[in-house]
Amino acid sequence: MSAPRRRGRPGHDQDAVLNAAVRLFNEHGYDATSMFDIAESLGITKSSVYHHINGKEHLLQMAVDRALDGLFEAAEDVKSLGGPAIERLEQLMRRSVLVLDERFEFVTLLLRVRGNTAVEQHAVARRRVFDGIVTDLVKQAQAEGSVRPDVDPATAARLLFGMVNSLTEWYRPRRGSAQAMADAVATIAFEGLRV
């Protein structure tokens, strides 16, 4: 889906252009950010930006794919673990926090996508597939007797990952904090606040 990597100019490669674009998309919004803005932030010409990418929508595609690919990799890892569904669900939440920490700006941008363009519609469709994976884990946990049967699985999945997604609003990644945050989210989600 993404175009092949192009060779970069000295000092700037495709990742540098992508990181600059994502930062600006998050600060000013996708529609309000121009290719000139991206070039200016890197101290290069607009034509130099096009040496690395095909256009602004290509940058958006690469950005949301980076976030989604991390989530799907986490889901695949958890799937291969086996064991009770409730434990796999907890592991998926923990790993999703780690993905968010590692790819913070990319996940933040993904969560702002509303389906206004073909790229955004594709991202929203992939998010729904991921939501389905989480919902299925909740259903499996219910069938195993680990989750209350009176809870709607899709609602539970949205609420659990709403907790993870809300981190983009206030959490700031820093060395050593990701695992502690993953532990806190899992503890509150699966054990609650009561002593």
Side-chain angles (χ1 to χ4, degrees):
M1 196 159 293
S2 54
R5 258 185 182 216
R6 297 183 184 185
R7 290 181 46 188
R9 303 250 188 232
H12 296 288
D13 59 9
Q14 190 178 61
D15 280 341
V17 172
L18 178 60
N19 288 329
V22 169
R23 183 177 33 72
L24 291 172
F25 293 164
N26 282 330
E27 287 175 10
H28 306 292
Y30 173 74
D31 290 331
T33 302
S34 70
M35 292 299 286
F36 176 78
D37 296 329
I38 296 165
E40 187 177 52
S41 76
L42 291 167
I44 59 177
T45 64
K46 195 163 109 174
S47 62
S48 294
V49 172
Y50 282 105
H51 176 76
H52 300 286
I53 52 96
N54 297 329
K56 193 167 91 164
E57 215 168 73
H58 180 216
L59 287 166
L60 181 61
Q61 177 77 58
M62 289 188 307
V64 295
D65 280 347
R66 187 163 298 178
L68 285 161
D69 290 348
L71 293 172
F72 279 97
E73 288 164 16
E76 276 302 309
D77 290 346
V78 166
K79 185 178 178 182
S80 68
L81 292 176
I86 192 75
E87 289 177 12
R88 287 181 281 133
L89 181 60
E90 181 178 342
Q91 281 302 312
L92 184 53
M93 276 194 75
R94 288 175 181 275
R95 290 177 190 214
S96 296
V97 171
L98 300 179
V99 168
L100 183 141
D101 180 82
E102 179 185 298
R103 304 174 190 204
F104 188 79
E105 290 199 342
F106 296 94
V107 174
T108 300
L109 181 61
L110 171 65
L111 295 174
R112 293 178 179 166
V113 163
R114 297 291 175 246
N116 298 329
T117 67
V119 168
E120 291 185 15
Q121 290 166 8
H122 179 71
V124 168
R126 284 189 74 195
R127 280 179 59 187
R128 285 191 188 118
V129 171
F130 183 80
D131 291 345
I133 292 169
V134 179
T135 300
D136 287 345
L137 276 173
V138 174
K139 287 177 185 176
Q140 290 171 35
Q142 283 177 322
E144 293 170 1
S146 301
V147 170
R148 292 169 48 148
D150 60 333
V151 173
D152 175 62
T155 301
R158 284 189 190 97
L159 289 171
L160 288 171
F161 276 81
M163 187 185 312
V164 174
N165 295 342
S166 74
L167 295 175
T168 62
E169 299 301 320
W170 58 270
Y171 172 72
R172 293 299 166 252
R174 60 187 192 283
R175 188 179 304 276
S177 66
Q179 191 59 55
M181 184 56 63
D183 292 344
V185 168
T187 298
I188 291 168
F190 292 93
E191 296 176 31
L193 292 172
R194 288 190 178 148
V195 292

